[in-house]
Every structure is written in structure tokens, then in C-alpha cells.
Amino acid sequence: MNSLKDKAQFKSSSKGILYYSIIAALLIISSSLYASYDQEKKYKWGGGASSPEGYPVEVTVGGFSYRALSFGLVRGPWGEVSYLGGDGYLPLPRKLVAEWVSFGEGEHGKAYQIKADLDYEKMEKFFDEGYELQFANGRPNEIEYYGNVVAGFAPGGVVVVWVKGIGRKIEIGRYQGYEVTPEDSNLYPETLELLTPYWNAAFMNNVNVVPTNVREANKGKKAPYGLWDSLRQRFDYTVKVVCADGGKLIGGDIRYVNGEIKDTFPLAEGEALFLKEEAAPKRILMVWRTAKGEEVGAKIYLEEVYSLELFKQMQEGEKTTEIELTIRVNEANDDCTLVIKNNKGKEQLVKLDPLKRIEIF
């Protein structure tokens, strides 16, 4: 629907008339938000979007209250922000109203719509209180504040919203969109244009959108509906770092499979980290001080489904099971081995992501 003639025909059609009626209704709803604009507390924040790796999306219209999310193709990995738009002072969003195309779901892709009330009070609390940002170089901790609200769009219409700051991303809530088709609904013109085998194949076969290894791994498989809800499962566990040369952990952060990020490692040298109600880890970044006083860092990557299933096996269906993840640094401080165990005698080596493994810096 690229020509003015096509758009004119759409506008004069019965579907077009109903579509513009819906837009008019949304404008009326939106006006009630803006009517209270002057009374709302303002924060400096931008809106962002994410999608799982291998399942890109494009938000064609809508977004958060006061912040649109329709700014191009969104790709993974899950929780990573493809685009951030705007950074001025506005009220925090109370709603998410959007329409998007999810590619990789069948030959045409699928279209979804959502109109959800966000957990404003939870979001406001995070923005007001901020969080303590830790430093591994002896610099005093600082209070940092959140500056972004991010929506993740997964197959099946699953939407997760996070607040994001430097070294921190926390889930606000999980929401459900509903599938819409050209036959039974009234879609935004760009949605209709993208919801075709041509555009679905164009994006799915583009290595800059879907990496070759991801496309090959997903070949012939249906989208793993339900996975992104499973990744939200939480566990209690301890993380310990043991250096062969007697070095001590001094800082770091964890990226979790549910898209969250927290710089939760303690700075008291050698302390273990107890995590309560956290998702399984996806990437562990840590900094330690060697016996010679040198600071060394590492990024350790785990494949997200493997990590989730590993922690579920270790939990053995009982919430009270004690789980311990130990990271062992070798004598040369250039490699790490991970071992996981529980208090019931189960212990095993942890397999690292074969594509990323460990980066020492």
C-alpha cells in the first residue's frame, strides 16, 4: 500500500472507515491522559523495544503513553534494547497501546494488538528511589536513576515491560496481546503491508536481522510459544567465585534469561552472592583482584534455555532446595570453569554457550 491511490481506496473502504473510527476513539482516550498532563509528575525517560533473537518485530503504530514505539525493525536478543526514543521530561506511562507484526511466526508472520494498563505505582517507585550503582575500582557507590521504559514483544503476543538504567533492568510486568488478521480486524496500513510472505522472508533471511546460526537452529521448527513465560521462573541460589591463585571477587553484574540486569555482586572481597527470587543467569560479568593485585574481568555466557533447564533440574521441584553456582578461575587468570550443585548431592559441570563462552578482559 505505497501509492496515494491505494491509501485513498483503503480510506474509503468499509474497513478503512472503521479503522479511522478506532483511531478517533483512541484519540479521545488519549486526550484524557493529556488532560491530566499538568498534574502528573515528570521524569526524564525514553521508550525502547526488544524482541527475542530469531523473532524480529516491527511496531507499526502506538506505544507507551506519551512515547511512540513505532521506529523500525526490532531484533534480539531478548531484553536487549534495539531502539530508544526520546529522553525529555514526561509523565511515566500508564498504558501500552500498540499494534505490531511478529516475523518468523508462519509464512506471513502474525499481527498483534494490545491495550494494557501498566503497573504505574511500581514504575514510579523505581524511578523515585533509584538504585545503588557499584564500582569495582574503589570508587564510592553512587545512587543512579532509571531513564528508560522498555517493551519486549515475543511470539504469541507476549509482552514484557522493564525499566532500565545504567547496569540495571527490572521487570515491571507481563502483558498479553491478541492476534489480529486482515480478515477479522482493522489493521494499520503499514501492518497490512508487512504481513506478507515477501517481508517475512526478507527479514528472516537477512543475516543482519537473524544471524545464520540462529536461523539454522530454528529451521523447520515452530516458534517456541510459552518459552518467554518459562524464562521468568525464579530461583534462590548462591554464586561463589574461587580463584586458584587466591585472588578475590570485587564486582560485576548478571544478565538474566528473563531480560533483567543487576550489578549485584558485593564489593567486600571474597564474599559469596546470595540471590533470592532471581531468574537463571544468561551472562555473568565479574571483576576480581589477583594475588598480584591486578584487576581482571570476564564475561561468561550461558545459553538461555540450557541455563533455565539446568536450574530447574537442580531445584528438583522444591523451592527450598539450596543451589550453589561456583565459578573457578584458573591459576593463570585466563579461563573459568563453572560447577553447579544442590544440597541433595547433585553436582555437575556447567556447559557454556558454544558460540560465546568466555571473554577475558
Side-chain angles (χ1 to χ4, degrees):
M1 192 176 297
N2 292 319
S3 69
L4 292 175
K5 180 180 178 181
D6 289 338
K7 291 179 180 178
Q9 289 176 341
F10 172 83
K11 191 170 182 179
S12 63
S13 69
S14 59
K15 282 191 174 183
I17 293 171
L18 186 51
Y19 164 75
Y20 285 101
S21 298
I22 292 172
I23 292 296
L26 287 174
L27 289 173
I28 294 172
I29 294 171
S30 299
S31 67
S32 66
L33 289 172
Y34 284 93
S36 61
Y37 178 86
D38 291 337
Q39 287 74 44
E40 294 269 18
K41 185 175 179 179
K42 313 298 191 299
Y43 299 84
K44 188 176 182 180
W45 66 279
S50 178
S51 72
E53 195 166 42
Y55 297 96
V57 305
E58 182 159 338
V59 179
T60 52
V61 64
F64 295 120
S65 311
Y66 311 112
R67 287 276 187 230
L69 294 178
S70 51
F71 35 49
L73 193 68
V74 178
R75 65 209 76 185
W78 183 239
E80 299 291 323
V81 184
S82 286
Y83 294 99
L84 286 171
D87 62 355
Y89 285 86
L90 287 171
L92 292 175
R94 294 182 180 273
K95 294 181 180 294
L96 173 64
V97 181
E99 181 173 293
W100 71 98
V101 177
S102 177
F103 301 102
E105 294 191 63
E107 183 184 4
H108 296 74
K110 291 187 177 181
Y112 296 93
Q113 293 177 348
I114 190 169
K115 181 182 177 184
D117 294 320
L118 305 179
D119 191 336
Y120 178 86
E121 287 72 22
K122 184 176 181 180
M123 201 181 312
E124 183 181 45
K125 185 174 186 293
F126 281 126
F127 269 76
D128 282 340
E129 294 180 357
Y131 56 95
E132 191 173 58
L133 187 63
Q134 303 182 27
F135 298 94
N137 57 3
R139 178 178 164 186
N141 294 354
E142 296 179 0
I143 298 299
E144 184 61 53
Y145 292 92
Y146 294 95
N148 297 288
V149 183
V150 179
F153 300 89
V158 173
V159 179
V160 175
V161 174
W162 302 275
V163 291
K164 179 182 180 299
I166 298 173
R168 186 68 60 100
K169 181 146 44 66
I170 305 294
E171 181 183 304
I172 292 298
R174 186 266 194 211
Y175 307 91
Q176 183 62 51
Y178 53 91
E179 184 182 354
V180 287
T181 68
E183 291 74 29
D184 62 14
S185 188
N186 301 277
L187 301 178
Y188 188 63
E190 188 175 349
T191 305
L192 286 169
E193 185 175 356
L194 291 173
L195 203 59
T196 63
Y198 172 81
W199 283 114
N200 190 59
F203 290 132
M204 296 302 292
N205 293 323
N206 186 330
V207 296
N208 295 316
V209 177
V210 180
T212 302
N213 63 290
V214 175
R215 184 171 66 251
E216 290 301 314
N218 293 342
K219 191 174 182 179
K221 299 177 183 177
K222 294 183 178 180
Y225 297 111
L227 171 62
W228 295 275
D229 282 326
S230 298
L231 295 176
R232 298 175 65 240
Q233 184 172 342
R234 295 178 182 269
F235 308 88
D236 296 343
Y237 56 101
T238 301
V239 179
K240 294 174 62 177
V241 176
V242 179
C243 299
D245 74 343
K248 303 295 183 182
L249 172 72
I250 58 174
D253 68 32
I254 297 178
R255 296 191 178 199
Y256 300 92
V257 298
N258 66 347
E260 292 186 323
I261 305 172
K262 297 178 184 177
D263 62 334
T264 47
F265 276 118
L267 295 186
E269 292 192 12
E271 286 186 4
L273 172 65
F274 178 69
L275 300 174
K276 186 172 180 61
E277 289 292 312
E278 299 289 6
K282 180 179 180 180
R283 192 213 70 183
I284 300 172
L285 181 152
M286 63 181 193
V287 179
W288 67 93
R289 184 174 289 111
T290 70
K292 295 180 180 180
E294 300 171 337
E295 289 186 4
V296 181
K299 294 179 181 179
I300 304 169
Y301 297 89
L302 286 75
E303 196 280 320
E304 60 185 14
V305 176
Y306 168 79
S307 183
L308 170 66
E309 292 303 319
L310 179 63
F311 273 76
K312 288 168 63 176
Q313 291 170 19
M314 284 291 161
Q315 193 178 58
E316 296 186 0
E318 296 183 17
K319 189 67 177 175
T320 57
T321 301
E322 297 175 14
I323 302 173
E324 182 179 283
L325 178 65
T326 301
I327 304 171
R328 296 174 179 165
V329 182
N330 67 352
E331 186 79 29
N333 290 291
D334 62 4
D335 200 8
C336 304
T337 302
L338 278 66
V339 177
I340 192 169
K341 66 180 181 179
N342 64 18
N343 62 335
K344 298 181 179 180
K346 183 179 290 187
E347 180 175 340
Q348 68 181 77
L349 286 172
V350 177
K351 297 177 183 178
L352 303 182
D353 187 325
L355 298 176
K356 297 178 181 177
R357 292 183 58 78
I358 298 176
E359 298 175 11
I360 302 291
F361 59 90

Short mmCIF file of all heavy atoms in Angstrom, two decimals, residues 26 29-30 32-33 45 63-67 69 92-98 114-120 123 149 161:
data_model
loop_
_atom_site.label_atom_id
_atom_site.label_comp_id
_atom_site.label_asym_id
_atom_site.label_seq_id
_atom_site.Cartn_x
_atom_site.Cartn_y
_atom_site.Cartn_z
N LEU A 26 -9.31 6.16 19.99
CA LEU A 26 -8.06 6.17 20.75
C LEU A 26 -7.63 7.59 21.07
O LEU A 26 -7.08 7.86 22.14
CB LEU A 26 -6.96 5.45 19.96
CG LEU A 26 -7.06 3.93 19.89
CD1 LEU A 26 -5.99 3.38 18.95
CD2 LEU A 26 -6.91 3.32 21.27
N ILE A 29 -9.53 8.68 24.04
CA ILE A 29 -8.96 8.08 25.25
C ILE A 29 -7.68 8.78 25.63
O ILE A 29 -7.44 9.12 26.79
CB ILE A 29 -8.71 6.57 25.03
CG1 ILE A 29 -10.04 5.84 24.84
CG2 ILE A 29 -7.94 5.97 26.22
CD1 ILE A 29 -9.88 4.40 24.40
N SER A 30 -6.83 9.03 24.62
CA SER A 30 -5.55 9.67 24.88
C SER A 30 -5.73 11.07 25.44
O SER A 30 -4.94 11.53 26.28
CB SER A 30 -4.71 9.75 23.60
OG SER A 30 -4.45 8.46 23.10
N SER A 32 -7.75 12.12 27.55
CA SER A 32 -7.96 12.09 29.00
C SER A 32 -6.62 12.00 29.72
O SER A 32 -6.46 12.51 30.83
CB SER A 32 -8.84 10.89 29.38
OG SER A 32 -8.18 9.67 29.11
N LEU A 33 -5.64 11.33 29.07
CA LEU A 33 -4.29 11.28 29.65
C LEU A 33 -3.66 12.67 29.63
O LEU A 33 -3.10 13.13 30.62
CB LEU A 33 -3.41 10.30 28.88
CG LEU A 33 -3.71 8.81 29.04
CD1 LEU A 33 -2.85 8.03 28.04
CD2 LEU A 33 -3.44 8.35 30.45
N TRP A 45 12.79 10.28 30.70
CA TRP A 45 12.82 8.88 30.28
C TRP A 45 12.57 8.76 28.78
O TRP A 45 11.98 9.62 28.15
CB TRP A 45 11.78 8.06 31.05
CG TRP A 45 10.34 8.40 30.76
CD1 TRP A 45 9.62 9.43 31.29
CD2 TRP A 45 9.45 7.71 29.87
NE1 TRP A 45 8.34 9.44 30.79
CE2 TRP A 45 8.21 8.39 29.92
CE3 TRP A 45 9.59 6.60 29.03
CZ2 TRP A 45 7.11 7.98 29.17
CZ3 TRP A 45 8.48 6.19 28.28
CH2 TRP A 45 7.27 6.88 28.35
N GLY A 63 2.35 2.71 21.19
CA GLY A 63 3.45 2.60 22.13
C GLY A 63 2.98 2.92 23.53
O GLY A 63 1.83 2.66 23.90
N PHE A 64 3.89 3.49 24.34
CA PHE A 64 3.54 3.89 25.69
C PHE A 64 2.79 5.22 25.67
O PHE A 64 2.87 5.98 24.69
CB PHE A 64 4.81 4.08 26.53
CG PHE A 64 5.60 2.82 26.75
CD1 PHE A 64 6.90 2.73 26.31
CD2 PHE A 64 5.04 1.74 27.43
CE1 PHE A 64 7.65 1.58 26.52
CE2 PHE A 64 5.77 0.59 27.64
CZ PHE A 64 7.07 0.50 27.19
N SER A 65 2.09 5.51 26.75
CA SER A 65 1.54 6.85 26.92
C SER A 65 2.68 7.85 26.77
O SER A 65 3.71 7.71 27.44
CB SER A 65 0.93 7.00 28.33
OG SER A 65 0.07 5.92 28.65
N TYR A 66 2.51 8.80 25.89
CA TYR A 66 3.47 9.88 25.64
C TYR A 66 4.71 9.48 24.84
O TYR A 66 5.49 10.35 24.46
CB TYR A 66 3.93 10.53 26.96
CG TYR A 66 2.81 10.92 27.90
CD1 TYR A 66 2.64 10.25 29.11
CD2 TYR A 66 1.94 11.95 27.57
CE1 TYR A 66 1.62 10.61 29.97
CE2 TYR A 66 0.91 12.32 28.42
CZ TYR A 66 0.75 11.64 29.62
OH TYR A 66 -0.27 11.98 30.48
N ARG A 67 4.93 8.18 24.59
CA ARG A 67 6.12 7.76 23.85
C ARG A 67 5.75 6.70 22.81
O ARG A 67 5.32 5.60 23.18
CB ARG A 67 7.17 7.16 24.78
CG ARG A 67 7.88 8.17 25.67
CD ARG A 67 9.05 8.82 24.94
NE ARG A 67 9.81 9.66 25.86
CZ ARG A 67 10.16 10.91 25.62
NH1 ARG A 67 9.81 11.47 24.48
NH2 ARG A 67 10.86 11.61 26.48
N LEU A 69 6.49 3.82 19.95
CA LEU A 69 7.49 2.78 19.77
C LEU A 69 7.63 2.36 18.31
O LEU A 69 8.33 1.40 18.00
CB LEU A 69 7.15 1.55 20.62
CG LEU A 69 7.20 1.72 22.13
CD1 LEU A 69 6.79 0.44 22.83
CD2 LEU A 69 8.60 2.14 22.58
N LEU A 92 5.37 9.35 33.57
CA LEU A 92 5.59 7.94 33.28
C LEU A 92 4.34 7.35 32.62
O LEU A 92 3.22 7.81 32.87
CB LEU A 92 5.91 7.18 34.56
CG LEU A 92 7.24 7.53 35.22
CD1 LEU A 92 7.37 6.80 36.57
CD2 LEU A 92 8.41 7.17 34.32
N PRO A 93 4.50 6.33 31.78
CA PRO A 93 3.34 5.78 31.07
C PRO A 93 2.42 4.97 31.98
O PRO A 93 2.88 4.22 32.83
CB PRO A 93 3.98 4.88 30.01
CG PRO A 93 5.27 4.45 30.62
CD PRO A 93 5.75 5.64 31.41
N ARG A 94 1.15 5.15 31.77
CA ARG A 94 0.15 4.34 32.48
C ARG A 94 -0.41 3.25 31.58
O ARG A 94 -1.00 2.30 32.08
CB ARG A 94 -0.99 5.24 32.99
CG ARG A 94 -0.56 6.24 34.06
CD ARG A 94 -1.72 7.07 34.56
NE ARG A 94 -1.33 8.01 35.58
CZ ARG A 94 -1.27 7.74 36.89
NH1 ARG A 94 -1.59 6.53 37.31
NH2 ARG A 94 -0.90 8.66 37.75
N LYS A 95 -0.22 3.40 30.28
CA LYS A 95 -0.79 2.43 29.34
C LYS A 95 0.22 2.06 28.25
O LYS A 95 1.14 2.82 27.95
CB LYS A 95 -2.05 2.99 28.68
CG LYS A 95 -3.23 3.21 29.62
CD LYS A 95 -4.44 3.73 28.88
CE LYS A 95 -5.61 3.95 29.82
NZ LYS A 95 -6.12 2.66 30.37
N LEU A 96 0.00 0.89 27.67
CA LEU A 96 0.69 0.46 26.46
C LEU A 96 -0.39 0.11 25.45
O LEU A 96 -1.17 -0.84 25.67
CB LEU A 96 1.59 -0.75 26.73
CG LEU A 96 2.24 -1.39 25.49
CD1 LEU A 96 3.19 -0.42 24.82
CD2 LEU A 96 2.97 -2.68 25.87
N VAL A 97 -0.47 0.87 24.38
CA VAL A 97 -1.45 0.63 23.31
C VAL A 97 -0.67 0.56 22.01
O VAL A 97 -0.05 1.54 21.60
CB VAL A 97 -2.51 1.75 23.25
CG1 VAL A 97 -3.52 1.46 22.14
CG2 VAL A 97 -3.22 1.92 24.58
N ALA A 98 -0.66 -0.60 21.37
CA ALA A 98 0.19 -0.76 20.19
C ALA A 98 -0.31 -1.86 19.27
O ALA A 98 -1.09 -2.73 19.68
CB ALA A 98 1.63 -1.07 20.62
N ILE A 114 -2.42 -4.69 21.42
CA ILE A 114 -2.51 -4.72 22.87
C ILE A 114 -2.99 -3.38 23.38
O ILE A 114 -2.68 -2.33 22.80
CB ILE A 114 -1.14 -5.07 23.52
CG1 ILE A 114 -1.30 -5.35 25.01
CG2 ILE A 114 -0.12 -3.95 23.28
CD1 ILE A 114 -0.07 -5.94 25.65
N LYS A 115 -3.77 -3.44 24.43
CA LYS A 115 -4.15 -2.24 25.18
C LYS A 115 -4.10 -2.65 26.64
O LYS A 115 -4.99 -3.35 27.14
CB LYS A 115 -5.55 -1.75 24.79
CG LYS A 115 -5.96 -0.49 25.56
CD LYS A 115 -7.36 -0.05 25.18
CE LYS A 115 -7.77 1.16 26.01
NZ LYS A 115 -9.18 1.57 25.73
N ALA A 116 -3.04 -2.27 27.33
CA ALA A 116 -2.79 -2.76 28.68
C ALA A 116 -2.55 -1.60 29.64
O ALA A 116 -1.92 -0.60 29.30
CB ALA A 116 -1.59 -3.69 28.70
N ASP A 117 -3.06 -1.76 30.86
CA ASP A 117 -2.77 -0.84 31.94
C ASP A 117 -1.48 -1.30 32.62
O ASP A 117 -1.38 -2.43 33.09
CB ASP A 117 -3.91 -0.81 32.96
CG ASP A 117 -5.19 -0.24 32.38
OD1 ASP A 117 -5.10 0.75 31.63
OD2 ASP A 117 -6.27 -0.78 32.69
N LEU A 118 -0.48 -0.43 32.67
CA LEU A 118 0.79 -0.76 33.27
C LEU A 118 0.77 -0.56 34.78
O LEU A 118 -0.09 0.16 35.31
CB LEU A 118 1.90 0.09 32.64
CG LEU A 118 2.02 0.03 31.12
CD1 LEU A 118 3.14 0.95 30.64
CD2 LEU A 118 2.26 -1.39 30.64
N ASP A 119 1.70 -1.17 35.46
CA ASP A 119 1.81 -1.03 36.91
C ASP A 119 2.52 0.29 37.20
O ASP A 119 3.73 0.33 37.46
CB ASP A 119 2.59 -2.22 37.51
CG ASP A 119 2.50 -2.27 39.02
OD1 ASP A 119 2.26 -1.21 39.64
OD2 ASP A 119 2.68 -3.36 39.59
N TYR A 120 1.76 1.36 37.18
CA TYR A 120 2.32 2.70 37.31
C TYR A 120 2.98 2.89 38.68
O TYR A 120 4.07 3.47 38.78
CB TYR A 120 1.23 3.75 37.11
CG TYR A 120 1.73 5.17 37.27
CD1 TYR A 120 2.30 5.86 36.21
CD2 TYR A 120 1.63 5.82 38.51
CE1 TYR A 120 2.77 7.15 36.37
CE2 TYR A 120 2.11 7.11 38.67
CZ TYR A 120 2.67 7.78 37.60
OH TYR A 120 3.15 9.05 37.76
N MET A 123 6.36 1.26 38.83
CA MET A 123 7.29 2.00 38.00
C MET A 123 7.72 3.30 38.69
O MET A 123 8.90 3.66 38.73
CB MET A 123 6.64 2.31 36.65
CG MET A 123 7.59 2.60 35.52
SD MET A 123 6.69 2.97 33.97
CE MET A 123 5.52 1.61 33.93
N VAL A 149 11.92 3.11 29.73
CA VAL A 149 10.89 2.09 29.87
C VAL A 149 10.90 1.29 28.57
O VAL A 149 10.79 1.86 27.48
CB VAL A 149 9.50 2.70 30.12
CG1 VAL A 149 8.47 1.60 30.34
CG2 VAL A 149 9.53 3.65 31.32
N VAL A 161 7.40 -5.70 30.11
CA VAL A 161 7.85 -4.32 30.25
C VAL A 161 8.90 -4.25 31.36
O VAL A 161 8.71 -4.81 32.44
CB VAL A 161 6.67 -3.37 30.55
CG1 VAL A 161 7.18 -1.96 30.85
CG2 VAL A 161 5.71 -3.33 29.36
#
